[in-house]
Amino acid sequence: MNQGIDVAKIRSRGATYVAEARIAQMMKWKGIIAIVAIGNPLFYLVAIGIGIGVLVNENSGTSGTGGVEYITFIAPALLASAALTGALDEAMFPVMEGFKWRKLFYAINATPINPGQIVLGVFIGAIARVVFTVVCYWALLIAFGVVTIGQSWDVIPVTIFAAGAFAAVIMGITASVKNEDYFMTVLNRLIIMPMFLFSGTFFPLNTMPVFLQPIGWISPLWHATELGRYFSYGYSISGTMLLVHFSYLIVMMVAGFKLANRKFAERLAK
Amino acid sequence: MPESLISARGLTKKYGDFTAVDAIDFDVAKGESFGLLGPNGAGKSTTMRIIAATSQRSSGTISILGRDPEEHGPQIRAHLGVVPQQDNLDGELTVSENLFIYGRYFGLSKKFIQNKIEELLDFAQLQDKRDAKVEALSGGMKRRLTIARALVSEPDILMLDEPTTGLDPQARHILWDRLFRLKETGVTLVITTHFMDEAEQLCDRLVVMDKGKIMAEGSPLELIKQYSTKEVLEVRFGSDRNKEVAPILREMCSRIEELPDRILMYVEDGEALLEAITAKKLHPTTSLVRRSSLEDVFLRLTGRSLIE
Amino acid sequence: MKTAVEIAEERADRWGHQLYAGRARAILERAFIALRSSTWVPIVTGFIEPVLYLLAFGYGMGELIGDVDSGRGTVDYAVFIAPGLLATSAMNGAIYDSTWNVFFKLNESKLYKGMLATPLGPLDVALGEITWALLRGLSYAIAFLAITAPLGLVPGVSAILAIPAAVFIAFGFASFGMAITSYFKTYQQMGMINIVLLPMFLFSGSLYPISVYPDWLEFLIQLFPSWHGIELVRDLWFGYWDSGTLLHLGYFCVMIVTGLYFTTRRLRNLFMR
Ligand SMILES: Nc1ncnc2c1ncn2[C@@H]1O[C@H](COP(=O)(O)OP(=O)(O)OP(=O)(O)O)[C@@H](O)[C@H]1O
Ligand SMILES: [Mg+2]
């Protein structure tokens, strides 16, 4: 008999347990996560926002950034980029660890918790990190006077949603990779880096040579950034594009989850 | 007194306030096969690392081939082949590349190593895996490769920290056989193990360690003679009744050990004792008379069973 | 044929023989074998990072910024950042190789444990690893120049001197990085390295001249090794020599010597835990 072990309860709350374990794991890193959450925006805003802002202003004023100060222009983009980076960390490493490094998922899977719940649990853990990062970042933007509270609060849920969509896809992809040896380096260099650099973070995407622009179109960061700008300072954007951005992220989220669920189930069944 | 190859006096290793090895003395003679026995955390691996000149002692003295590892670490290590408790193979290389580069670390010529590799692949029965990445090997294959790797430099002293953990019975026996042959060629073996049969088979002499200290020393036979009786009677009464009958049994012989599942009674004549028990109408559910082994020595010295 | 013992005995009376067996090249040999058999993908793609930055910032950002005063004449923004990116990537690569990479091979893969159970000493391992890192840095620097030259971003032939300069500053960071790693025991402590590096590199003038800042901040930045590294490579890139160039060179000489001093002293702490 399973004395004291309520299988039905574990079944129904499996994802919560996994998420709790993930968050406990992150707490070991709480110092560093907090410093990164506050230091990252601070340094980027001062270094890039002000440093490059001066150069931009001297050369072309606000004409290249749609009429706003350079720092205002990049603030929502940096916010989105920090959120997606946090999501990447918490979606990729736990999956590598779970399947390969420490094989934790196999141990969890031997309990009544099922693969789908592991996916959801890791996802919730990633979201927790993203929420923390985004709120810290936003508070700093307010403190810097880059955005105002009333006008920009809705950038928070939108950015979190975008980061979630990214996390789902990353979980799916990471779980699909069999030989992870150099997967991280290669993914970082050939996919993540270009995505971050060519997503209209530091300058409008359309100032890039045309052949480089498609990198931005497929990048969730570009969609998140455009939405972030729209919601934080009233950047003008057409209704159609608004729909495109949201749809793209929704599709990513759904496809990411589908892939992750399938791959997790496949690998854990072996 | 044969030439002493390794000699330790008051050897101590501390990690912070914790003493892992506590002022131990021992000698290992040339050509001898010397065993370190002890429960988890006894300090066996720590002692092995100090002998292998890869860990610095905290106090005491040790000499290996007449030299101090603090002063002549590289020269000492050139004589050694080391099989650590945990495999540390090079995961970025294949099986044969692992053997090759290890030989290069010793400064050996490419030609010499190339020939040696064939011999070692046969030894480890890994010929058909020679171009496989280490990651693609099973646990036991990795272990065999680690042992083969330790032989690439033709060492005079082979340090084996739980060499057969993870090997299947056949591979274990093959390895014992190979180690015997190495010993015949004059190689000195220093072995730690949790397997009593292995210790009895392989070791000329051994020390039993517990909590960083040496509890006893001698050949397997001497130890059994000194710390145990000729025979052991194992009786089971079922877990509920064991407790009940234990006091009665205690009256009947000079030493008994109560284990969770059975009671061990140490006597010269096991059959006679069993008859006496039956005569008292205490019918054990199972009973067994066997010769004493190192296991019993171990239990006596450390109060713990090796394989629980 | 000499045996392992004879080889080791040859050096038995030399000074420092416990630390150095004179076989750092065995570590290099291992790196080449590993390159052939498994690590080539991450290594071959390693040059890509500064090139991507150059494309994004040089061409995207360049549209908004136009020309900048490099301190050595006014130049196109892409020309301004090219040497800065070269220097930054050389330094970052050296730091990664001497910190995270060393830490991982020590604690996770236990690779160094295996090496150090042989007559090799910690200095063989350290020198071998640093040399390998610098060789990679050298090939990345050459690749960077080969890519930027046809794009018209290289002002003159003398810019070829920026290649050894990049390797030189990488050496400074690598020797220091290993010394720092010897003090760290946990992943969390290692994480602090990245946190310190972020502001150091953001502020050090690879993407804009630090003259945009108030004097006090400018002064502070001028204390960072990363700023000296970037300025040194930039000077040579533009074929520009003055007392500042010498100062940057001197700064790195001191850094290399102190880094090596501490690394050597800490080698046992680092490798023989
Ligand atoms: N690097 C270290 N830092 C701190 N403590 C250590 C270290 N290495 C070993 N110890 C401690 O020293 C003691 C002896 O460890 P050692 O590995 O020598 O035991 P052992 O006899 O080999 O055990 P096992 O049978 O489990 O291999 C243990 O309590 C262990 O926790
Ligand atoms: Mg051990």
Side-chain angles (χ1 to χ4, degrees):
Chain A
M1 276 308 298
N2 280 319
Q3 287 148 336
I5 299 174
D6 184 344
V7 174
K9 187 175 159 202
I10 295 175
R11 283 245 164 82
S12 65
R13 299 192 40 196
T16 328
Y17 295 131
V18 175
E20 278 169 10
R22 283 297 315 139
I23 291 168
Q25 188 64 28
M26 280 180 231
M27 289 312 272
K28 289 191 193 157
W29 292 84
K30 58 178 182 280
I32 287 184
I33 289 179
I35 297 175
V36 169
I38 295 161
N40 207 332
L42 189 68
F43 295 137
Y44 268 102
L45 285 174
V46 176
I48 306 283
I50 297 178
I52 290 199
V54 170
L55 297 182
V56 172
N57 199 38
E58 273 172 7
N59 182 60
S60 53
T62 57
S63 64
T65 51
V68 293
E69 287 291 327
Y70 184 67
I71 196 166
T72 311
F73 173 77
I74 63 164
L78 290 177
L79 175 71
S81 141
L84 266 66
T85 316
L88 176 70
D89 271 359
E90 301 306 339
M92 185 154 73
F93 289 103
V95 177
M96 299 278 269
E97 194 169 45
F99 281 119
K100 179 126 180 178
W101 297 337
R102 309 210 188 282
K103 312 224 186 297
L104 285 176
F105 291 166
Y106 295 95
I108 300 176
N109 194 47
T111 72
I113 299 174
N114 65 41
Q117 290 173 322
I118 302 180
V119 172
L120 189 59
V122 173
F123 178 80
I124 294 170
I127 293 295
R129 163 84 184 269
V130 169
V131 169
F132 179 71
T133 303
V134 167
V135 170
C136 285
Y137 218 122
W138 185 72
L140 239 119
L141 291 178
I142 302 287
F144 266 66
V146 178
V147 296
T148 56
I149 299 180
Q151 196 189 18
S152 71
W153 67 268
D154 37 9
V155 78
I156 293 180
V158 172
T159 306
I160 292 171
F161 175 72
F166 186 52
V169 169
I170 290 293
M171 282 169 67
I173 294 174
T174 311
S176 314
V177 180
K178 278 277 130 51
N179 188 0
E180 287 104 336
D181 277 9
Y182 300 105
F183 161 68
M184 275 205 311
T185 327
V186 172
L187 182 86
N188 251 317
R189 282 205 188 121
L190 301 183
I191 299 178
I192 308 286
M193 273 269 296
M195 231 178 65
F196 276 80
L197 286 170
F198 301 102
S199 290
T201 314
F202 301 107
F203 42 85
L205 190 62
N206 57 23
T207 59
M208 291 288 302
V210 182
F211 68 95
L212 288 172
Q213 291 185 23
I215 303 179
W217 300 339
I218 57 169
S219 155
L221 182 59
W222 179 63
H223 298 279
T225 298
E226 292 290 289
L227 289 173
R229 289 194 172 123
Y230 174 77
F231 285 106
S232 62
Y233 65 83
Y235 166 78
S236 78
I237 198 169
S238 71
T240 328
M241 280 316 284
L242 217 51
L243 193 68
V244 167
H245 294 317
F246 272 118
S247 318
Y248 187 86
L249 293 173
I250 291 168
V251 169
M252 271 195 98
M253 178 83 94
V254 174
F257 260 100
K258 274 224 155 101
L259 180 66
N261 279 331
R262 204 181 73 223
K263 289 293 169 187
F264 269 57
E266 272 175 26
R267 277 185 88 163
L268 290 169
K270 281 208 184 112
Chain B
M1 175 92 196
E3 188 188 343
S4 172
L5 218 54
I6 305 171
S7 171
R9 293 290 173 270
L11 185 65
T12 302
K13 174 75 183 184
K14 291 188 174 171
Y15 291 110
D17 290 338
F18 177 77
T19 308
V21 175
D22 196 355
I24 60 171
D25 301 340
F26 62 85
D27 288 278
V28 181
K30 187 165 168 21
E32 184 178 33
S33 165
F34 180 77
L36 292 162
L37 227 64
N40 292 138
K44 305 180 296 292
S45 299
T46 308
T47 309
M48 295 288 270
R49 280 197 296 273
I50 298 173
I51 300 175
T54 51
S55 175
Q56 290 173 284
R57 64 182 184 267
S58 309
S59 61
T61 60
I62 182 160
S63 88
I64 298 124
L65 295 144
R67 284 172 146 169
D68 182 345
E70 296 282 287
E71 295 298 317
H72 289 101
Q75 288 74 35
I76 291 170
R77 293 196 297 270
H79 285 274
L80 303 181
V82 177
V83 177
Q85 184 170 359
Q86 281 174 336
D87 295 327
N88 55 16
L89 294 163
D90 195 328
E92 286 172 357
L93 306 185
T94 65
V95 169
S96 60
E97 287 168 345
N98 258 283
L99 296 172
F100 176 80
I101 199 64
Y102 212 69
R104 298 294 287 162
Y105 294 158
F106 282 86
L108 300 170
S109 77
K110 293 184 185 175
K111 202 166 141 230
F112 171 83
I113 304 171
Q114 230 90 53
N115 293 330
K116 195 79 195 166
I117 286 178
E118 299 311 315
E119 184 190 323
L120 292 173
L121 287 175
D122 287 335
F123 169 84
Q125 296 163 292
L126 288 171
Q127 277 290 8
D128 51 335
K129 295 277 181 188
R130 60 184 304 146
D131 294 324
K133 278 283 186 54
V134 162
E135 286 207 6
L137 299 184
S138 78
M141 291 174 181
K142 283 186 192 159
R143 201 68 193 142
R144 274 153 33 200
L145 179 58
T146 307
I147 296 167
R149 190 184 68 170
L151 295 173
V152 78
S153 58
E154 305 191 327
D156 301 318
I157 305 176
L158 194 55
M159 310 283 305
L160 302 146
D161 197 347
E162 300 188 21
T164 58
T165 305
L167 295 189
D168 62 33
Q170 194 201 353
R172 262 178 88 196
H173 284 280
I174 292 174
L175 180 68
W176 289 356
D177 175 54
R178 301 284 152 87
L179 292 178
F180 264 124
R181 284 195 223 166
L182 281 170
K183 199 174 160 255
E184 276 168 9
T185 65
V187 175
T188 306
L189 306 176
V190 182
I191 303 167
T192 80
T193 181
H194 285 167
F195 301 112
M196 292 300 125
D197 52 343
E198 186 162 293
E200 278 170 44
Q201 286 272 338
L202 288 180
C203 301
D204 300 329
R205 206 160 53 82
L206 44 88
V207 293
V208 179
M209 287 185 76
D210 191 22
K211 300 191 179 108
K213 290 201 164 71
I214 291 182
M215 314 292 289
E217 181 188 335
S219 71
L221 259 179
E222 281 165 11
L223 286 172
I224 292 169
K225 234 184 218 153
Q226 189 176 351
Y227 293 97
S228 192
T229 48
K230 192 163 156 239
E231 293 188 337
V232 187
L233 171 63
E234 295 195 8
V235 283
R236 283 187 166 85
F237 291 90
S239 46
D240 297 332
R241 271 189 71 209
N242 276 351
K243 267 218 153 49
E244 227 172 275
V245 296
I248 310 171
L249 298 182
R250 205 176 289 278
E251 303 282 298
M252 301 176 65
C253 86
S254 56
R255 178 171 160 239
I256 78 164
E257 292 281 351
E258 281 178 72
L259 299 184
D261 61 330
R262 62 193 194 274
I263 297 173
L264 306 183
M265 306 181 69
Y266 291 91
V267 284
E268 289 305 307
D269 186 347
E271 289 297 340
L273 181 62
L274 184 58
E275 271 168 35
I277 292 174
T278 324
K280 290 204 172 184
K281 304 228 156 25
L282 297 166
H283 294 290
T285 45
T286 64
S287 63
L288 167 77
V289 176
R290 60 167 174 83
R291 296 178 68 85
S292 270
S293 71
L294 276 178
E295 177 84 78
D296 302 296
V297 174
F298 196 82
L299 189 62
R300 169 81 184 273
L301 288 169
T302 66
R304 264 169 288 178
S305 171
L306 253 188
I307 302 150
E308 264 149 6
Chain C
M1 228 260 353
K2 275 187 259 175
T3 65
V5 172
E6 286 161 3
I7 294 165
E9 290 298 339
E10 278 170 9
R11 300 182 71 92
D13 299 321
R14 284 211 209 174
W15 185 80
H17 75 107
Q18 297 107 319
L19 291 178
Y20 186 52
R23 262 200 309 287
R25 78 199 118 76
I27 309 293
L28 273 182
E29 203 176 331
R30 183 228 161 238
F32 277 106
I33 298 175
L35 174 68
R36 198 179 58 206
S37 96
S38 63
T39 57
W40 63 272
V41 178
I43 289 178
V44 170
T45 55
F47 72 94
I48 238 166
E49 196 172 309
V51 176
L52 288 176
Y53 266 90
L54 188 66
L55 282 179
F57 275 81
Y59 296 103
M61 207 68 233
E63 289 286 313
L64 301 184
I65 290 180
D67 290 345
V68 280
D69 176 12
S70 70
R72 302 145 188 96
T74 299
V75 293
D76 189 61
Y77 184 63
V79 177
F80 172 77
I81 61 171
L85 293 173
L86 171 61
T88 305
S89 99
M91 294 187 281
N92 268 325
I95 291 169
Y96 177 81
D97 283 332
S98 62
T99 58
W100 279 102
N101 169 52
V102 167
F103 192 77
F104 182 81
K105 286 179 178 165
L106 263 178
N107 296 292
E108 209 62 35
S109 76
K110 316 264 186 221
L111 182 65
Y112 296 153
K113 283 230 168 82
M115 294 177 174
L116 292 166
T118 72
L120 290 179
L123 191 57
D124 296 280
V125 178
L127 280 182
E129 289 284 88
I130 291 184
T131 311
W132 175 238
L134 295 184
L135 279 178
R136 275 160 57 189
L138 174 68
S139 33
Y140 294 161
I142 294 172
F144 188 78
L145 215 77
I147 292 168
T148 47
L151 294 174
L153 301 177
V154 181
V157 183
S158 71
I160 216 154
L161 284 177
I163 295 174
V167 177
F168 183 65
I169 60 174
F171 189 29
F173 274 87
S175 67
F176 232 83
M178 253 194 211
I180 289 171
T181 308
S182 74
Y183 290 93
F184 290 167
K185 297 230 157 61
T186 66
Y187 278 95
Q188 279 76 0
Q189 290 169 332
M190 293 299 291
M192 295 306 296
I193 295 179
N194 295 26
I195 287 173
V196 173
L197 290 181
L198 177 71
M200 201 164 99
F201 280 102
L202 275 177
F203 284 98
S204 287
S206 57
L207 295 174
Y208 50 89
I210 59 169
S211 55
V212 300
Y213 287 124
D215 287 346
W216 64 268
L217 186 54
E218 211 182 319
F219 175 76
L220 195 69
I221 293 170
Q222 290 179 349
L223 299 176
F224 295 167
S226 45
W227 178 76
H228 288 277
I230 290 167
E231 287 300 301
L232 177 63
V233 172
R234 196 169 268 150
D235 275 350
L236 295 171
W237 186 269
F238 288 108
Y240 183 93
W241 278 92
D242 66 4
S243 57
T245 320
L246 288 178
L247 176 71
H248 307 317
L249 268 175
Y251 187 102
F252 271 90
C253 287
V254 173
M255 186 167 170
I256 288 171
V257 171
T258 18
L260 282 184
Y261 173 74
F262 278 105
T263 298
T264 324
R265 269 192 50 169
R266 299 277 310 167
L267 276 174
R268 281 184 172 225
N269 301 58
L270 181 60
F271 291 110
M272 302 223 160
R273 282 174 182 171

